[in-house]
Amino acid sequence: MSLLTRVRRLPTQGRRAVRDDLPTGGGSADAPDDDSGAAGRTRRSGWAGLTTVLAALLVLLVLTAPYDFARLTPAAFVRIPLEALLLVALLLALPPRGRRAVATLAGVALGLLGVLKLLDLGFSASLGRAFDLVLDWALLDEAFGFVSESYGRSGAIGAAVALALVAVAVPVLVTLSVLRLGRLVVRHHTGTTRVVAALVVVWVVCAAFGVRVVPGVPVADTSATTLANGHGFQVRLRLADRKKFAAAIGADPFRDTPGDQLLTALRGKDVVIAFVESYGRDAVEDPEFAPQVGAVLDDGTNRLSTAGFAARSGFLTSPTFGGGSWLAHATLLSGLWIDNDQRHRSLLASDRMTLGGAFRRADWQTVGVMPAVTRAWPEGAFYGYDRFYDAGALAYRGPKFSFGTPPDQYTLSSWQRRERARRDGGAVMSEIALVSSHSPWTPVPRLVDWADVGDGAVFHDDASASRSKGEKRRSTSRIRADYRKSIEYTLSTLISYVENYGDDDLVLVFLGDHQPAPVVTGDNASRDVPVTIVTRDRAVLDRISGWGWQDGLKPGPQAPVWRMDAFRDRFLTAFGP
C-alpha cells in the first residue's frame, strides 16, 4: 500500500517514468501512447479550426452576397459589412448571458436574411425583380406547376424538397456559426478589439472615398440593412396599396355605357385578342434575334398584303417581366395596372368591366382559349366567357411541347373548328393564349399543313426528335437560340392562320404578354412588348390613325409606346360611336 500511495503522489514526470518502466502486455493497451494522444489533439484542433473558418465564411457570405443576380460575381464579395463590425463590437461589450442571447437572435436574423437573398436571386434571375414578401408566396405553387409540366412531377418534388431543406438549414447553420464566432471573439478579446478598430477605420475611409471593386457595389457595405429596410418598406407599401387600388377599380369611364354605344365600329367582326407568350421588344430589336424574327414579320407583312390584309403596330409597356402572364392579361383587359397578385385578387373580386365584358355587353359571344390551364381556373368566373377552352376541352392528343402544352397551331386550329367555322352564333370575341414560346423554349414544333393538324398526333415525331438531343442541358446561347425559334414559330403560325382562314370579318390583335427572362434579354431590358392589329377592313385601321402606330407587323424603334393599362380605354374610344 505504501508503494502505491507514493506512486499516486509522484509528480507528472515521475508518473510517466513509472509507466515507462511497467512491463508491456495486457495492461498497456488501456492507455494511449504519447504519439496517438498528440495526433488526436492535432486532428481535433484542425477540425475545430476548419469549422471556425467555414462558420466565418458562411456569415460573411450571407452578409456580402448580392441579392441581384446580375451582380453575382466573385468581385462583388469584396466588401466590409458594417453590420458584422457592429455585431462583434456588441458581443465584446456584453456580459456572457446577454452575449449568448444576442448571438442567437443575430444568427436567426442573418439566417432568414440569407433565405431572403436566395429568393431575391431566384426572382431577379427569372422575373427581373426582387421577391415580394407579401404577395409572392403564391408563385411558389406556380413554380412547382411549371417545373412539373416542363421536367416531370418527380423533378418538381425533388426541387421542392431541396428548397425546403435549404430554407431550414440556412438559418440553423448561420445561427450555430454566429454562436461559435461569438465565443471565439470573446476568447481573443484584445486581438479582436484591435482588428475591429482597424476595420472600422478602413470602412470609414472606403465610405468617404466611395471605393468600389465592382461598379455599384461599395466596399464599405451596408447591403444587409438596405435589403431589410427595402423589404420592410415593400410590406408597408403593399398594405397601403389596397385602399388606393380599390378606388382605382371604381373609377371607370365606361362603367355605365349602354351596350348599343360600345364597339359600334366593329359590329359583325370576329375580334381576336391573342397573347404571344414572352414576345418582347428584344425579339424585334436585339441583334441576336431581330434579323430572323424581323424577316418573319416583314415576309408576313408582304404575304398578308397580297391577301388583302393590312396591319399597324406599336409597343405597350407590360406590368410584368419574365413571367406572370396573368398580370398582363388582366392589365390589358381591365384597363388597370395589375403588377402584383394582391391587385389581381382585388380585381377578380370586383365587378370591373373588362374588354371582353364590353364585347359581351355589346352582344358579342365571348370565348376564352387557355391551353396551359390544366386545373381549376377561378379567373374564369370574373372574365365571364360564354365558352371556355382549357387544356382538357381542347382535346389535344399529341405530345407535350415547351410548358407541357399543345403547339399553337393546334390551339388555333381547334378554336377555328369549334368557333369561327360554326357561324351559328353571330360575331365572336376571343381571347387566346399562344404559349409555344413559353420557357423553357424546347422542344419547338414545326408548322404543318393545316389540313394535317387533326387531333395533334402529327406532332409526335417533332417532340421525339427534339428530346433525343438532350435538350435539358443547354448553354445560354442555345437557350437564346431556342427562344428566338419559338417566337418565329408562333408568329409564323399566326401569319399562316390569317392567310388560310382570315376573311373580311376578322380583326386580329396580337401582342406579347411580357419580355422573356433575363437569361434571354440580359440586364436592364425594357418591359415593352410589340402589339399589332391586322384586318382587311381599312375602315378599322382608319379608326386608329390617330394612334400613330406604324404600318406592318413589325414596330420600329420610333413606334409609340403606351402603358398596357391604357389600351382598353383607347380601344373602346376608337371603336365607339
Side-chain angles (χ1 to χ4, degrees):
M1 286 294 293
S2 61
L3 177 60
L4 290 175
T5 304
R6 286 175 56 200
V7 169
R8 288 193 190 103
R9 292 177 180 175
L10 284 174
T12 302
Q13 186 175 355
R15 274 183 273 168
R16 287 178 181 164
V18 170
R19 287 158 90 183
D20 290 342
D21 291 337
L22 289 174
T24 59
S28 63
D30 295 332
D33 59 36
D34 289 349
D35 291 339
S36 63
R41 287 192 295 274
T42 300
R43 284 195 297 271
R44 288 193 294 274
S45 177
W47 279 114
L50 178 61
T51 303
T52 300
V53 170
L54 291 176
L57 288 175
L58 178 60
V59 172
L60 284 174
L61 183 67
V62 169
L63 284 169
T64 61
Y67 41 85
D68 182 352
F69 189 80
R71 294 180 175 177
L72 190 60
T73 62
F77 290 87
V78 182
R79 305 196 233 177
I80 303 174
L82 180 61
E83 297 85 359
L85 300 179
L86 295 176
L87 177 59
V88 172
L90 182 60
L91 293 177
L92 290 173
L94 289 172
R97 182 176 297 178
R99 184 186 309 128
R100 184 173 181 81
V102 168
T104 301
L105 291 174
V108 171
L110 287 177
L112 294 175
L113 181 73
V115 173
L116 184 56
K117 281 193 173 185
L118 289 175
L119 289 169
D120 279 350
L121 284 171
F123 270 67
S124 66
S126 58
L127 301 180
R129 63 174 176 82
F131 180 76
D132 192 313
L133 279 170
V134 177
L135 307 175
D136 281 343
W137 299 106
L139 293 184
L140 298 180
D141 181 58
E142 296 290 337
F144 181 88
F146 167 71
V147 176
S148 180
E149 291 288 347
S150 300
Y151 302 105
R153 187 168 180 81
S154 59
I157 293 174
V161 170
L163 287 174
L165 290 175
V166 169
V168 173
V170 169
V172 170
L173 291 175
V174 173
T175 301
L176 293 175
S177 298
V178 172
L179 288 170
R180 183 179 188 86
L181 295 174
R183 293 190 295 269
L184 179 68
V185 299
V186 171
R187 191 158 55 244
H188 301 280
H189 191 283
T190 302
T192 302
T193 301
R194 291 172 179 170
V195 170
V196 170
L199 288 175
V200 167
V201 173
V202 174
W203 190 95
V204 170
V205 171
C206 290
F209 290 96
V211 178
R212 287 169 170 77
V213 176
V214 176
V217 182
V219 172
D221 181 43
T222 58
S223 62
T225 302
T226 301
L227 178 63
N229 286 339
H231 279 284
F233 176 76
Q234 183 187 62
V235 170
R236 295 192 298 272
L237 187 67
R238 291 289 178 247
L239 296 177
D241 185 58
R242 291 177 181 174
K243 183 180 296 186
K244 176 183 176 182
F245 185 65
I249 289 177
D252 185 354
F254 294 94
R255 182 185 184 93
D256 300 318
T257 303
D260 59 3
Q261 297 179 28
L262 287 170
L263 301 160
T264 55
L266 293 175
R267 298 290 180 189
K269 303 292 187 185
D270 288 333
V271 179
V272 181
I273 308 292
F275 286 90
V276 178
E277 173 68 36
S278 301
Y279 177 38
R281 185 165 189 152
D282 277 36
V284 296
E285 291 189 354
D286 188 304
E288 191 171 345
F289 314 132
Q292 297 91 334
V293 174
V296 170
L297 293 172
D298 290 339
D299 178 62
T301 298
N302 294 330
R303 286 160 51 192
L304 293 184
S305 178
T306 301
F309 291 91
R312 299 274 175 82
S313 299
F315 289 107
L316 301 176
T317 301
S318 175
T320 185
F321 186 100
S325 304
W326 58 93
L327 302 179
H329 290 224
T331 295
L332 184 105
L333 298 175
S334 71
L336 295 169
W337 189 250
I338 313 295
D339 62 345
N340 61 66
D341 278 336
Q342 177 175 277
R343 287 191 162 208
H344 190 238
R345 289 192 298 270
S346 297
L347 174 68
L348 297 183
S350 74
D351 61 353
R352 175 81 174 188
M353 186 184 73
T354 64
L355 196 55
F359 275 97
R360 190 167 58 254
R361 186 184 297 182
D363 209 27
W364 265 263
Q365 292 287 298
T366 57
V367 174
V369 184
M370 302 290 166
V373 173
T374 57
R375 297 177 290 177
W377 196 60
E379 290 92 333
F382 170 74
Y383 289 114
Y385 302 112
D386 293 307
R387 291 178 293 281
F388 179 69
Y389 300 95
D390 60 6
L394 287 172
Y396 176 62
R397 297 294 180 263
K400 291 183 177 181
F401 283 85
S402 190
F403 181 40
T405 55
D408 290 336
Q409 187 178 13
Y410 178 85
T411 299
L412 290 172
S413 176
S414 180
W415 165 76
Q416 170 68 22
R417 292 195 310 269
R418 297 165 187 268
E419 291 296 333
R420 293 202 71 231
R422 291 187 346 180
R423 294 296 183 189
D424 58 356
V428 175
M429 179 271 178
S430 303
E431 180 198 355
I432 304 177
L434 299 175
V435 292
S436 289
S437 50
H438 195 292
S439 62
W441 306 299
T442 182
V444 178
R446 63 188 172 90
L447 191 62
V448 302
D449 191 291
W450 289 91
D452 296 334
V453 172
D455 64 359
V458 68
F459 298 107
H460 271 291
D461 291 342
D462 296 345
S464 299
S466 295
R467 289 195 174 97
S468 68
K469 298 176 183 177
E471 295 289 335
K472 292 183 180 179
R473 294 184 178 181
R474 298 175 295 161
S475 64
T476 299
S477 60
R478 179 61 185 276
I479 291 172
R480 290 167 62 87
D482 286 343
Y483 163 76
R484 173 183 55 77
K485 291 175 183 177
S486 71
I487 293 294
E488 290 179 57
Y489 164 77
T490 297
L491 295 177
S492 296
T493 300
L494 273 172
I495 293 165
S496 179
Y497 172 83
V498 176
E499 279 186 307
N500 282 270
Y501 298 108
D503 55 28
D504 293 343
D505 293 330
L506 176 67
V507 176
L508 169 65
V509 181
F510 71 90
L511 69 152
D513 50 6
H514 54 70
Q515 287 259 54
V519 68
V520 173
T521 63
D523 305 325
N524 304 315
S526 78
R527 292 190 171 215
D528 297 344
V529 298
V531 57
T532 299
I533 294 182
V534 181
T535 181
R536 264 189 186 151
D537 190 343
R538 298 300 174 125
V540 170
L541 296 184
D542 289 342
R543 285 273 181 161
I544 65 169
S545 59
W547 290 3
W549 286 15
Q550 297 178 341
D551 290 335
L553 300 178
K554 183 179 71 176
Q558 304 306 316
V561 181
W562 307 342
R563 284 200 348 168
M564 193 175 281
D565 56 341
F567 182 84
R568 189 205 72 156
D569 288 3
R570 292 194 181 214
F571 190 89
L572 292 176
T573 299
F575 295 106

